[in-house]
Amino acid sequence: MNIRHLKTLITVSEKGSFAAAAEAVFLTQSAVSQQMKALERELGVELFDRKHRPPVLNARGRGLIQRARQLVYLYEELSDEASGTSELTGLLEIGAVHTVLARLLPRALVRLRAAQPTLQVRVSSGLSAELMARVDRGDLDAVVISEPKPVPSNLKWSEVVHEPLVVIAPGDCQLDGYRRVLSAMPFIRFSRNAWVGHTIQRKLDDLGVRVTEGMELDSLDVIRQMVRHGLGVSIVPAAALDTLEAEGIRVLPFGDPPAHRVIGMVERKEHVKMGLTEALCRELIAASLDVTSVNE
């Protein structure tokens, strides 16, 4: 059985069409179609309903996908073991929330490129819920997001770092303690459409802190500018604040002990690029230690 044909079949399943799969595996649509016909002949069954345009996997084809993923994963694992090489190749498609894109992910990708120079990486951004849905559909191989609660049973969660949440206030704010600061000025809220926004509200409720609603924004850069200009106070992830960018902003711990959110990586439990996502996860953890040491 041709492993390349199985890989293409999996890609068709994940991308939803021959055309999208062809783009992902760098083939023409005609070549993808020919591979699928060859696989059907070899197996002696039809895997696609070609009455639809474009063709879609039928029940037998959908039932084969999980086993195909297992076979491809075992084949690649065996191939790596036999060759004795640690070099990874291929295209890794990942997503990340904006606050992770600010510092953690770039550091991790620099490390990954140094360790695996032949590996290609494509990055998308979005909100945690949206990104996790894209992993579930197979549009992305892995995403770096706030911890989902609960983690869906068909997905794998790998914790990367506990990231402190901090209160930011205008630089001329002289009040002591996060409670007084948050009570004294309008609250510039991180959007509740983002999971970190939910985390912040839960922490406010747990601590019994009441705020005066001012604005609700989904951009860390915009929140920082609003605070810098004295329009209110906010609570944001600490790692998203660069020392130079925070000039003119006062930063205080939020809570005692300081509150935090958990950042990690989500992927499907079994997929053909598990070796690539494992390498990414290792570099994310290493990069998170670098970020923590810089913040200290």
Side-chain angles (χ1 to χ4, degrees), residues 12-30:
V12 171
S13 171
E14 293 176 346
K15 299 301 181 182
S17 70
F18 286 5
E23 183 178 354
V25 298
F26 306 105
L27 293 173
T28 64
Q29 184 174 340
S30 175

Side-chain angles (χ1 to χ4, degrees), residues 7 72-86:
K7 288 182 179 180
V72 170
Y73 176 66
L74 290 172
Y75 173 83
E76 292 187 339
E77 191 175 54
L78 179 64
S79 179
D80 290 344
E81 206 170 294
S83 65
T85 180
S86 60

Side-chain angles (χ1 to χ4, degrees), residues 7-8 13 18 37 48 60 104 108 132 137-138 141 155 175 197 207 224 227 244 248 284 287:
K7 288 182 179 180
T8 303
S13 171
F18 286 5
K37 287 179 180 178
F48 293 89
R60 193 181 294 272
L104 176 59
M132 192 167 72
R137 293 195 304 267
D141 300 313
L155 299 179
L175 296 173
L207 293 168
R224 189 168 57 243
V227 171
L244 294 177
L284 283 166

Side-chain angles (χ1 to χ4, degrees), residues 126-190:
L127 298 175
S128 291
E130 168 200 339
L131 291 171
M132 192 167 72
R134 292 182 66 187
V135 167
D136 196 18
R137 293 195 304 267
D139 296 338
L140 295 172
D141 300 313
V143 293
V144 189
I145 60 175
S146 298
E147 182 179 14
K149 294 186 178 180
V151 179
S153 60
N154 62 317
L155 299 179
K156 176 185 175 184
W157 164 259
S158 301
E159 184 176 302
V160 171
V161 64
H162 283 232
E163 182 181 26
L165 298 171
V166 295
V167 175
I168 58 173
D172 59 0
C173 176
Q174 301 299 316
L175 296 173
D176 295 325
Y178 69 91
R179 291 181 182 273
R180 294 185 64 192
V181 170
L182 288 171
S183 301
M185 299 184 70
F187 185 57
I188 303 174
R189 181 182 295 278
F190 212 112

